[in-house]
Amino acid sequence: MNDVERKVELDSIRTQVLSCTLCGLSKTRDNAVPGEGNYSAEIIFIGEGPGANEDEKGIPFCGASGKFLDEMLASIKLDRDKVFITNTVKCRPPGNRDPEEDEKVACRPYLERQIELIAPKVIVCLGRHAAASLLPGQPGISAIHGKALKRPNGIVYLPLYHPAAALHNGSLRATLINDFAKIPTILKKISETVKTTKIINETKQERLI
Ligand code: URA
Ligand code: SF4
C-alpha cells in the first residue's frame, strides 16, 4: 500500500469514528477523538480514553497530561508531527470512569486497523488500560513498565505509566521520565537488528548466485 492509499484508509477510519455509535459512549460524548499525528510514524502512543479537554476539542492528549507528554516527547527530540497518538477507546467515558469491557471491545477494530495501516516499529502503551488491552496475559503495569517486549507481529511494545497518574506523584513521575528516555535506544536497537538481518539476507543471496 502506498502513502496515498494509506492516507485514504486512515482518513476514512477518522470519519467513521467521528460518527460512530457502536457503543454507549456515543450517547455521552461531545466529540469522538480518533487520534492524530504522522501516518508513517515509527511510534504510536496509546492512552486510555479521552478526558474532558479531549472530548471538548476532539484532539488526543490536549490537557494537562498531554502537556506532560509533549514535554517528554521534546526531551527525546520528538514531537506530535513525528508520532501518532490515540486511545483504547475513542470517546470519553463519563466522569472519567474506566472504560468498560464492552466499550473497549466495540472500539478495538479502529485501533487495530490504525496499527495495521501505520505499521509502527514501537507501540507505547500509556497506562494500565492500554497495557492490558495490547499485552494480554502480562502482569500489571507496576511489574512491566519500562520493559520493551517484541510480540510475534514484529512490533516492540513498551508499557509506561500513564502521564495523568504520574503528573502529581513524584516517584511515578521520575520513573515515567526514566522509562520514556529508553525510547531512542529501543528504536536504535530495532534498526540495528533490521540491518543485521539485511546483511544476512544479502549474504545468502550472494551465495545463491
Ligand atoms: N488521557 C488519556 O488516556 N487519553 C487522552 O487522550 C487524554 C488523557
Ligand atoms: Fe464508537 Fe469507540 Fe466511540 Fe464507542 S468509544 S462510540 S466504539 S468510537
Side-chain angles (χ1 to χ4, degrees), residues 6 22 121 162 181:
R6 179 162 44 183
L22 285 178
K121 290 181 180 165
H162 195 288

Side-chain angles (χ1 to χ4, degrees), residues 38-84:
N38 194 314
Y39 284 173
S40 334
E42 290 193 334
I43 314 178
I44 300 185
F45 289 85
I46 302 174
E48 178 180 331
N53 293 291
E54 291 75 24
D55 180 60
E56 190 193 321
K57 299 208 171 80
I59 297 170
F61 282 95
C62 64
S65 47
K67 189 169 170 277
F68 185 26
L69 178 61
D70 286 341
E71 285 166 16
M72 288 189 288
L73 284 171
S75 75
I76 57 166
K77 301 196 166 49
L78 282 176
D79 61 37
R80 282 180 186 240
D81 294 345
K82 298 205 187 82
V83 303
F84 192 82

